[in-house]
């Protein structure tokens, strides 16, 4: 049976029920471990499988000029914790340039959500900021738990807008994936969140 599981940045949580044994594969089960947690992260894009140039939770997009953009969250230099980094490939994913940090959360606890090239050529990135986590029984308590989703946007991949909070109405947001833009310009963002203090999860789309 497939069991619901998620990673909140502190570890994996699984709803096991009456199961006696749990087998979990995170990422590519046949990947060779490099003992830093990133060896199992891969992403499929355009019929190819790419290894991580950055870290965990890898997402990709392609610009109109053919360059590929990769984002992931990884250790924040000099601070501990994690932030979201971006790396650009000029050769269709064969090699990637130097990673550049694009988020700066107050406690350096960010997790990448998604990346999309919009119709006007600008790039939008979503990420989750984990300010505090009260744990089981306090998922809905804003005094103890605050894990929110933000969006940033860039027209030149050098400067980024101020983060905009995605108002989901929940305090424990698990994460997002690549957003989508409709033909009328509306932007849709899939979101996963906990919906009660027992840990029940829901998935919905923000517009």
């Amino acid at each position: 049976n497939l069991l619901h599981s998620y990673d909140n940045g502190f570890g994996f949580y699984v709803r096991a029920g009456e199961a006696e044994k749990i087998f979990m594969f995170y990422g590519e089960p046949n990947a060779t471990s490099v003992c830093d947690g990133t060896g199992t992260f891969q992403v499929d894009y355009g019929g190819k499988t790419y290894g991580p140039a950055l870290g965990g939770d890898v997402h990709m997009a392609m610009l109109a000029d053919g360059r590929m953009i990769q984002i992931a969250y990884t250790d924040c230099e000099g601070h501990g914790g994690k932030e979201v980094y971006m790396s650009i490939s000029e050769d269709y994913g064969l090699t990637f340039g130097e990673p550049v940090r694009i988020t700066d959360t107050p406690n350096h606890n960010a997790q990448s959500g998604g990346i999309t090239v919009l119709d006007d050529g600008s790039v939008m990135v979503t990420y989750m900021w984990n300010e505090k986590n009260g744990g089981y029984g306090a998922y809905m308590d804003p005094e103890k738990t605050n894990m929110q989703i933000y969006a940033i946007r860039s027209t030149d991949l050098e400067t980024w807008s101020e983060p905009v909070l995605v108002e989901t109405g929940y305090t424990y947001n698990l994460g997002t994936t690549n957003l989508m833009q409709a033909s009328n310009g509306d932007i849709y963002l899939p979101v996963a969140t906990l919906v009660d203090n027992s840990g029940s999860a829901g998935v919905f789309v923000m517009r």
Side-chain angles (χ1 to χ4, degrees), residues 123-176:
V123 175
M124 182 171 286
V125 169
T126 57
Y127 64 93
M128 186 186 72
W129 174 45
N130 182 352
E131 180 190 15
K132 51 190 175 181
N133 178 6
Y136 184 83
Y139 297 135
M140 302 294 107
D141 186 348
E143 296 297 320
K144 297 180 179 180
T145 299
N146 187 34
M147 300 170 67
Q148 299 297 331
I149 296 169
Y150 289 83
I152 54 177
R153 191 169 180 172
S154 177
T155 58
D156 57 10
L157 299 181
E158 295 182 2
T159 57
W160 293 84
S161 67
E162 289 295 315
V164 175
L165 174 65
V166 178
E167 296 274 7
T168 66
Y170 292 95
T171 56
Y172 195 122
N173 294 282
L174 295 170
T176 69

Side-chain angles (χ1 to χ4, degrees), residues 100-119:
V100 176
R101 181 155 59 99
I102 62 174
T103 63
D104 187 17
T105 57
N107 61 347
H108 299 296
N109 196 355
Q111 180 175 329
S112 49
I115 181 171
T116 299
V117 180
L118 301 178
D119 290 346

Side-chain angles (χ1 to χ4, degrees), residues 48-54 60 66-70 86-99:
K48 298 180 181 180
T49 300
Y50 298 91
L54 300 178
M60 281 185 168
R67 288 182 297 165
M68 297 182 68
I69 310 169
Q70 181 177 215
M86 174 192 71
S87 186
I88 298 176
S89 174
E90 306 278 353
D91 54 13
Y92 300 98
L94 294 177
T95 60
F96 284 86
E98 189 70 19

Side-chain angles (χ1 to χ4, degrees), residues 24-44 49-52 55:
M24 175 178 283
F25 295 102
Y26 188 29
E28 170 53 61
N30 296 318
T32 301
S33 174
V34 293
C35 300
D36 62 0
T38 64
T40 57
F41 289 102
Q42 293 184 341
V43 62
D44 291 328
T49 300
Y50 298 91

